[in-house]
C-alpha cells in the first residue's frame, strides 16, 4: 500500500491527462434502447433492477445469492463496451465480472475473455484482473490498479477482439494487449463465437488478499451498476456468418485495429510502468518455462 500512497498525487493528474489526450478507440454503433433488447437474466431475477427510465441496470449480491445477465446474441470478433459503476464502501470478497465466453458455465472447452473487479476493504483500491482462456485453459492473469475510484462514477470497460490481437481498454486506455502469432496455436481464442456476460458474486475464498479478507454480510446488499452497452461486432449466424471472414470490411478488422496507435502506445507504456500488480508472463516461479505467447510483442 505504500506504493499506492506514493502514486496517488500523480494518479489524479494522469486521470485528467489520459481522459483529455486519449484518442478514440472505436466507431461503435449506438446502443440499443433497453436492457431487454440485448440481454437475458441468467439467474436470480429478483436481484436485478433498472432505473425508472430503464437506462441503468443494477445487479445485487446478498448472502443468499448474486445475479448475472448475458447477451441474447453471440459474436465472433468486434468491439464490446459497457459502462460500470462498482460496489462502493467495504466490498471485500465481492467480485463483479464482465466477460465474454463461448458458453453459459465454466465448461471444460470454453474460450473466455475476462474483466474481474476485485473488491476490497473501505479505503483500499479496487484491483482489476483480466484473463484469457482457450479450450478451457486459462492461467493468463494480469492484475492492475486503476487511476481513479471506480465506485464514484461510471467508467467504460471495453474489449477489442480480432484475429490479430485482443485489447482490454479502460476509458479508451489500453491496459492489456494479447497478441496472436498468426499460426494455429493453443493460446489465442479466435475460432468460437462468444456471448457477453456480467455478474456479481461472492469469492471471498480468493478475491481479497488471497482470501484473508472475508465478505462482511452486514454490509449487504452489494450493488453494481451498468449502462450504455455498445457492440460493433460480427453477430453469429449458423452455420457461418460472412462477417467472420477477415475481409477488413469492418473498422475493428482493419489494419489500424491490428496494433496500438502511437497515442495508445504512450498510454499503455505508462500503465505498464505504474499500475501492473501481477503479470503471469513474469511469474517464473509459477511458470519455469514461460507460456509460448509471452514473447509476442504488444508494440507491433
Amino acid at each position: 500500500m505504500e506504493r499506492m500512497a506514493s502514486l496517488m498525487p500523480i494518479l489524479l493528474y494522469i486521470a485528467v491527462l489520459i481522459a483529455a489526450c486519449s484518442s478514440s478507440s472505436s466507431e461503435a454503433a449506438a446502443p440499443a434502447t433497453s436492457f431487454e433488447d440485448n440481454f437475458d437474466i441468467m439467474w436470480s431475477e429478483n436481484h436485478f433492477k433498472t432505473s425508472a427510465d430503464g437506462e441503468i441496470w443494477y445487479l445485487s449480491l446478498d448472502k443468499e445469492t448474486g445475479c448475472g445477465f448475458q447477451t441474447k446474441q453471440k459474436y465472433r470478433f468486434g468491439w464490446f463496451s459497457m459502462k460500470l459503476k462498482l460496489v462502493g464502501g467495504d466490498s471485500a470478497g465481492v467480485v463483479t465480472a464482465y466477460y465474454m465466453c463461448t458458453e453459459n458455465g465454466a465448461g471444460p472447452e470454453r474460450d473466455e475473455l475476462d474483466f474481474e473487479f476485485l473488491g476490497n476493504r473501505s479505503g483500499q483500491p479496487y484491483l482489476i484482473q483480466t484473463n484469457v482462456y482457450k479450450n478451457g485453459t486459462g492461467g493468463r492473469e494480469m492484475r492492475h490498479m486503476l487511476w481513479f475510484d471506480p465506485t464514484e462514477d461510471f467508467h467504460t470497460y471495453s474489449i477489442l477482439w480480432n484475429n490479430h490481437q485482443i485489447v482490454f481498454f479502460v476509458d479508451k486506455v489500453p491496459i492489456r494487449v494479447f497478441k496472436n502469432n498468426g499460426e494455429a496455436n493453443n493460446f489465442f481464442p479466435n475460432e468460437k463465437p462468444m456471448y457477453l456476460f456480467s455478474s456479481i458474486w461472492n469469492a471471498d475464498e480468493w478475491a481479497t488478499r488471497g482470501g484473508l479478507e472475508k465478505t462482511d454480510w452486514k454490509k449487504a446488499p452489494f450493488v453494481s451498476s451498468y449502462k450504455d452497452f455498445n457492440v460493433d461486432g460480427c453477430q453469429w449466424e449458423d452455420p457461418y456468418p460472412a462477417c467472420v471472414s477477415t475481409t477488413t470490411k469492418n473498422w475493428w478488422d482493419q489494419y489500424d485495429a491490428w496494433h496500438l496507435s502511437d497515442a495508445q502506445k504512450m498510454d499503455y507504456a505508462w500503465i505498464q510502468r505504474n499500475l501492473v500488480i501481477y503479470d503471469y508472463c513474469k511469474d517464473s516461479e509459477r511458470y519455469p518455462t514461460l507460456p509460448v505467447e509471452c514473447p509476442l510483442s504488444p508494440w507491433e
Side-chain angles (χ1 to χ4, degrees):
M1 288 302 101
E2 290 181 3
R3 181 187 179 199
M4 184 64 185
S6 66
L7 281 172
M8 285 307 297
I10 64 171
L11 289 179
L12 295 177
Y13 170 76
I14 292 295
V16 175
L17 185 64
I18 286 178
C21 297
S22 294
S23 59
S24 174
S25 300
S26 78
E27 300 172 11
T33 55
S34 71
F35 180 88
E36 290 79 9
D37 290 331
N38 286 306
F39 298 102
D40 291 317
I41 301 296
M42 293 191 294
W43 84 94
S44 301
E45 190 167 352
N46 61 345
H47 285 58
F48 171 81
K49 295 181 179 180
T50 67
S51 60
D53 59 10
E55 293 185 0
I56 301 175
W57 322 316
Y58 306 99
L59 298 185
S60 66
L61 167 70
D62 56 27
K63 198 168 185 178
E64 177 184 343
T65 186
C67 187
F69 60 78
Q70 72 173 76
T71 52
K72 297 177 183 293
Q73 306 295 335
K74 52 186 176 179
Y75 306 87
R76 183 178 169 206
F77 303 149
W79 170 266
F80 309 89
S81 185
M82 183 99 75
K83 290 183 179 179
L84 281 72
K85 184 166 70 171
L86 302 181
V87 176
D90 187 339
S91 57
V94 177
V95 170
T96 300
Y98 166 59
Y99 62 103
M100 300 185 69
C101 190
T102 52
E103 56 189 86
N104 183 352
E109 297 296 323
R110 75 189 186 280
D111 291 355
E112 187 170 321
L113 309 175
D114 290 342
F115 275 112
E116 291 180 314
F117 306 93
L118 311 182
N120 218 327
R121 291 296 178 213
S122 298
Q124 301 299 322
Y126 259 85
L127 295 181
I128 181 170
Q129 176 170 286
T130 56
N131 203 352
V132 176
Y133 285 76
K134 181 170 182 177
N135 294 329
T137 299
R140 303 182 177 96
E141 300 93 343
M142 288 190 71
R143 289 188 180 186
H144 296 74
M145 294 186 295
L146 293 168
W147 57 94
F148 54 82
D149 183 345
T151 72
E152 290 185 347
D153 203 352
F154 285 92
H155 291 268
T156 305
Y157 304 89
S158 311
I159 296 173
L160 171 66
W161 176 32
N162 55 46
N163 200 41
H164 300 267
Q165 64 176 1
I166 296 162
V167 185
F168 295 83
F169 289 88
V170 177
D171 288 342
K172 298 183 181 177
V173 176
I175 66 165
R176 180 175 184 179
V177 180
F178 191 79
K179 302 291 284 192
N180 198 359
N181 64 359
E183 304 172 358
N185 60 62
N186 292 318
F187 62 84
F188 193 93
N190 60 352
E191 299 166 353
K192 306 172 188 176
M194 301 193 202
Y195 298 96
L196 188 140
F197 300 81
S198 194
S199 60
I200 185 170
W201 49 290
N202 178 46
D204 65 3
E205 71 278 7
W206 65 270
T208 307
R209 295 184 60 216
L212 295 178
E213 302 283 356
K214 299 301 182 181
T215 304
D216 184 355
W217 293 112
K218 291 181 292 185
K219 302 292 196 307
F222 304 98
V223 179
S224 56
S225 307
Y226 305 79
K227 67 178 183 177
D228 295 352
F229 173 63
N230 234 328
V231 58
D232 187 355
C234 179
Q235 184 173 311
W236 189 262
E237 298 175 357
D238 291 327
Y240 199 83
C243 58
V244 108
S245 301
T246 305
T247 62
T248 69
K249 177 181 178 181
N250 300 286
W251 72 266
W252 39 262
D253 199 23
Q254 295 171 358
Y255 180 76
D256 285 347
W258 298 353
H259 54 263
L260 299 182
S261 68
D262 289 343
Q264 289 171 343
K265 287 177 181 178
M266 292 179 63
D267 290 342
Y268 179 73
W270 188 89
I271 295 291
Q272 298 307 296
R273 289 194 306 269
N274 294 286
L275 298 183
V276 175
I277 299 299
Y278 175 80
D279 183 347
Y280 79 106
C281 281
K282 297 180 179 179
D283 192 343
S284 57
E285 182 176 348
R286 182 182 181 191
Y287 295 108
T289 300
L290 290 181
V292 295
E293 68 270 17
C294 287
L296 297 176
S297 172
W299 308 102
E300 297 176 357

